[in-house]
Amino acid sequence: MNQRLALLALFAFACSRNDAAQMATSTASPPAASASPASSAPAPTASAADPPAPNDASGHHLVTFASGALTLTGYLWLPPGTGPHRAIVNNHGSEKKPGIGGKLAPFYNRRGFALFIPVRRGHEPSPGKYVGYLTDAAPADKRAAIVVDELSAQVDDVLAALKYLEGRSDIRKDAIAVAGCSYGGIETVLTSERASGFKVAIDFAGASMSWKGNTLLQKRLLTAVDHATIPIFFLQAENDYNTEPTRALSAEMDRVKKPNRKKIYPPHGTTPAEGHGGFCTSPEDWGSEVGEWLDSHLPK
């Protein structure tokens, strides 16, 4: 396994351990309206996709939604009450089988946010070709372009997740944020330049593992923040693999006078892997500032 795959495997393992522990305690079952990942049934309509909210933050709903011709899967965690709730679309990283979000859900649900984790194309259990397999099969000089092209295409999946939430009666259309860690942070930045219903963004450690040596990705992200349509909060732990993306992208937004914030936090754990995936799933490190950022841009 090459060095890139080894790093991705470390991050995926860290995330999967967190989510596996949370899944083991979940007692909620998927709503009857949801199709299984292998089903060819059409995505549910907004009315059919409104299962009753759980009474607490201990369970999630497994839902499906359309992104073009694809039927994708997502994990929806609803706060107590009938809503309508503020919401956050949280983009997973590069792992082939992303976690369900059990470590993040209590933080957002306690603040009154619904948390939606869409599983983008190529990541299980959604259909499509996995970006890691595509890059492995490509010549070395083509891999950077494949990463940029695939992540750019997946922005459509993020916007489809937004459309799904906007069609729900228990979600407020005027109070939806987008966030993500690692590859999910890249998705968040790329999504920010598209006109949409998102009001604010949070980039956790986007491109930390892929910035160095990928000039195409660097240029693409710098262009994205130049055209950003919403404010972005960039944050990382000091012991992440590379903090240059946070510094460079925030500086570029300052240069073009776009609203943003950046913060490099103290080390999380003792290794780059802990400072990367571990930091992203540890609200005890960043919860106060992220909560303030959301509250200052989304009406309560």
Side-chain angles (χ1 to χ4, degrees), residues 163-228:
K163 183 178 180 180
Y164 167 79
L165 287 181
E166 290 176 331
R168 293 181 59 96
S169 62
D170 52 4
I171 300 297
R172 287 179 50 183
K173 299 178 181 63
D174 64 339
I176 304 177
V178 60
C181 175
S182 195
Y183 264 29
I186 295 174
E187 287 298 330
T188 298
V189 172
L190 294 176
T191 300
S192 74
E193 71 175 339
R194 301 270 291 270
S196 73
F198 286 123
K199 305 302 182 185
V200 68
I202 308 169
D203 171 13
F204 291 87
S208 168
M209 298 171 67
S210 48
W211 181 269
K212 186 177 180 180
N214 192 337
T215 56
L216 285 176
L217 179 62
Q218 294 172 20
K219 292 177 181 178
R220 182 67 188 88
L221 291 175
L222 289 167
T223 298
V225 298
D226 281 347
H227 300 121

Side-chain angles (χ1 to χ4, degrees), residues 76-79 84-90 108-109 111-117 161-162 164-166 168 170-179 197-202 294 298-299:
L76 178 63
W77 300 76
L78 293 167
H85 311 289
R86 297 184 293 173
I88 184 160
V89 172
N90 193 76
Y108 288 114
N109 284 172
R111 299 192 71 92
F113 283 87
L115 173 67
F116 187 40
I117 301 179
L162 170 64
Y164 167 79
L165 287 181
E166 290 176 331
R168 293 181 59 96
D170 52 4
I171 300 297
R172 287 179 50 183
K173 299 178 181 63
D174 64 339
I176 304 177
V178 60
F198 286 123
K199 305 302 182 185
V200 68
I202 308 169
L294 291 171
L298 299 177

